[in-house]
Amino acid sequence: MTELYPVQLTVNGMAYARTIEPRLLLSDFLRHELGLTGTHVGCEHGSCGACTVLMDGQAVRSCILFAVQADGHEITTVEGLAANSARLHPLQEAFRAAHGLQCGYCTPGFLMTLIPFLEENPTPSEAEIRDALSGNICRCTGYQNIVDAVLKVEIGD
Amino acid sequence: MKPAPFAYFAPRSLDEALALLQEHGYEAKLLAGGQSLIPAMNFRLAQPAALIDINRIDALSFLEPASDGGLRIGAMTRQRTVERSALVAERAPLLHATMPFIAHMQIRNRGTLGGNLAHADPASELPAVMVALGARFRLQSQRGARWVNAADFYVGLFATTLEADEMLVEIAVPPLPPRTGWSIQEIARRRGDYAIVGVAATATLNADGRCHAARLVYLSVGEGPIQAHDAVAALHGQAPTAAVIAAAMRGASQRIEPLGDIHATPAYRRQLIEVLGRRALTEAFARVQPT
Ligand SMILES: Cc1cc2nc3c(=O)[nH]c(=O)nc-3n(C[C@H](O)[C@H](O)[C@H](O)COP(=O)(O)OP(=O)(O)OC[C@H]3O[C@@H](n4cnc5c(N)ncnc54)[C@H](O)[C@@H]3O)c2cc1C
Ligand code: FES
Ligand code: FES
């Protein structure tokens, strides 16, 4: 029997404590332990970006990070974006308006990649957007409408 | 696609980590950014019995000016920190220019300088850049510490001179000598992908505008960083005109033996060796500031 490790972390502002195997990936921890299935898993080796979440405000791939490593850290997932179920985050709204998703499998990863990017650079050029999104794969949209969504988004508040 | 079980250690000090490394040796792996190791564990290409997670050792994460005008960088410094450092941009512009070529922002947020260099992936930009810059690595174990030149550190495919009980703890990047220019060139299918071929160059002119010294170091064309010694020898003492550079590269590209894979044939790689080498040398010489 493998040894279990206690972890305490914050996810979308809520504190959680669990006892887990060290080999548990953060992506599986979020999905299976916490039931936060908004974080998607595409490749499980760091290539597709679908599993992107924020760790202490920075975009990271949760499939190549062990959950034990998030002990004491703050995680934000796509579930943490919208203030409530009636009102989407402006970036989600922009994706909806620009038709920046089709099947939606890649979308949480794109959103979580873009949140810190837009915080630092609220009015990026198209080239900067494409560069920022180079680590996220979408099999449906051809990326054009995703780029359009980012060009049009207005993050106020 | 799930890693095999392992024992997990998260030491807070270097001493503790070195003691664990001494105890577990080849059975254990250091976990730095995990951006190469965890994918390999997910595929079960790597199944270490123990992981020594060095992310909580604050003393390994620093980026400071060195007294010789260069830089001292702790092994656990994140790639993203290096990328954004104004000090790196000023003192090691080649290193600064290289960072965006490495993977994607999400990966550079976690990946470390030391992890990348110790991993010794022949397709990685940083080992070639460190050889081009003449950097030195500090390796430490419970037995003591030693400094190794980047050029001597790489000894084969994913192979370095690190012993089982040793850790890369610091990277010393010297300042560029006077009248020295630099360049990094690569061809990849997609921004952030591993390069099909890449090359880092540094070039120094003497007071008469002739080539005094140069380094031309390739990635993705062999078992590690590959230096084009012949091209550099052909340039020595010459004014670096387009014709001189072209002739030097024509000869040199014939002496490197790249392999073929799903990304490129050997012939295509050889073509890139010549073209990118020419571009890198041309740009490096053009960047030399007269003193
Ligand atoms: C999709 C993807 C694309 C990528 N593209 C590129 C690219 O284009 N160019 C590129 O260069 N890299 C690329 N990488 C790799 C990335 O740069 C890694 O971060 C890096 O190679 C390893 O650094 P790490 O800190 O993540 O190390 P880890 O993955 O934690 O460790 C790698 C290896 O080094 C050992 N190690 C780590 N630290 C030390 C130390 N201090 N002393 C001794 N041994 C140590 C570990 O035990 C392990 O064997 C890519 C990765 C991914 C997932
Ligand atoms: S699932 Fe994590 S990058 Fe693809
Ligand atoms: S919308 Fe289907 S993968 Fe992007």
Side-chain angles (χ1 to χ4, degrees), chain A residues 100-107 110 137-143 146:
Chain A
L101 64 154
Q102 290 178 27
C103 78
Y105 200 84
C106 67
T107 312
F110 273 89
I137 293 176
C138 174
R139 306 303 295 265
C140 302
T141 62
Y143 304 98
I146 296 178

Side-chain angles (χ1 to χ4, degrees), chain B residues 6-288:
Chain B
F6 52 83
Y8 177 75
F9 304 96
R12 302 227 163 222
S13 73
L14 181 58
D15 283 348
E16 231 184 301
L18 293 176
L20 285 162
L21 206 48
Q22 164 72 34
E23 184 186 337
H24 295 275
Y26 282 117
E27 296 280 284
K29 283 235 172 250
L30 294 171
L31 174 62
Q35 304 298 286
S36 294
L37 181 55
I38 302 180
M41 290 176 66
N42 285 355
F43 279 124
R44 302 217 174 178
L45 293 171
Q47 299 195 14
L51 279 192
I52 305 168
D53 181 351
I54 52 178
N55 283 276
R56 297 190 191 259
I57 307 176
D58 296 336
L60 287 176
S61 178
F62 58 86
L63 204 169
E64 295 167 2
S67 52
D68 64 357
L71 297 166
R72 299 180 51 209
I73 310 178
M76 283 304 290
T77 307
R78 304 280 168 200
Q79 293 160 9
R80 192 82 168 140
T81 307
V82 177
E83 176 182 355
R84 294 173 162 205
S85 156
L87 190 67
V88 172
E90 180 201 322
R91 294 194 170 204
L94 169 57
L95 179 57
H96 174 75
T98 300
M99 299 315 292
F101 286 114
I102 300 166
H104 313 285
M105 174 260 290
Q106 301 101 318
I107 289 166
R108 297 195 295 273
N109 276 339
R110 279 308 287 173
T112 65
L113 193 62
N116 187 299
L117 293 171
H119 190 52
D121 189 325
S124 176
E125 290 82 0
L126 287 172
V129 164
M130 291 299 168
V131 173
L133 289 173
R136 290 181 316 135
F137 301 158
R138 185 177 165 86
L139 314 184
Q140 201 167 332
S141 70
Q142 280 198 322
R143 294 173 289 128
R146 59 184 176 128
W147 284 96
V148 177
N149 291 325
D152 302 324
F153 182 69
Y154 295 102
V155 294
L157 199 60
F158 294 99
T160 70
T161 57
L162 275 168
E163 301 286 346
D165 61 345
E166 277 182 320
M167 188 191 304
L168 168 59
V169 293
E170 182 181 332
I171 297 100
V173 180
L176 285 176
R179 292 191 299 275
T180 299
W182 54 272
S183 178
I184 172 92
Q185 302 283 331
E186 76 168 50
I187 299 286
R189 287 258 176 244
R190 189 175 63 130
R191 179 77 167 178
D193 279 1
Y194 284 105
I196 295 172
V197 172
V199 65
T202 54
T204 307
L205 291 177
N206 63 24
D208 311 329
R210 289 171 188 279
C211 178
H212 171 68
R215 288 199 188 98
L216 190 63
V217 192
Y218 284 91
L219 48 125
S220 278
V221 303
E223 297 202 327
I226 302 286
Q227 297 203 54
H229 292 293
D230 297 312
V232 169
L235 290 168
H236 193 81
Q238 306 271 339
T241 60
V244 165
I245 291 173
M249 282 321 305
R250 219 171 296 130
S253 70
Q254 293 310 314
R255 285 195 192 82
I256 298 174
E257 297 285 342
L259 295 176
D261 55 27
I262 54 164
H263 304 295
T265 60
Y268 179 53
R269 280 212 165 84
R270 190 163 285 124
Q271 169 76 11
L272 289 181
I273 289 171
E274 184 169 340
V275 172
L276 295 182
R278 219 157 52 208
R279 285 183 195 161
L281 288 171
T282 305
E283 184 172 63
F285 283 118
R287 276 205 173 105
V288 174

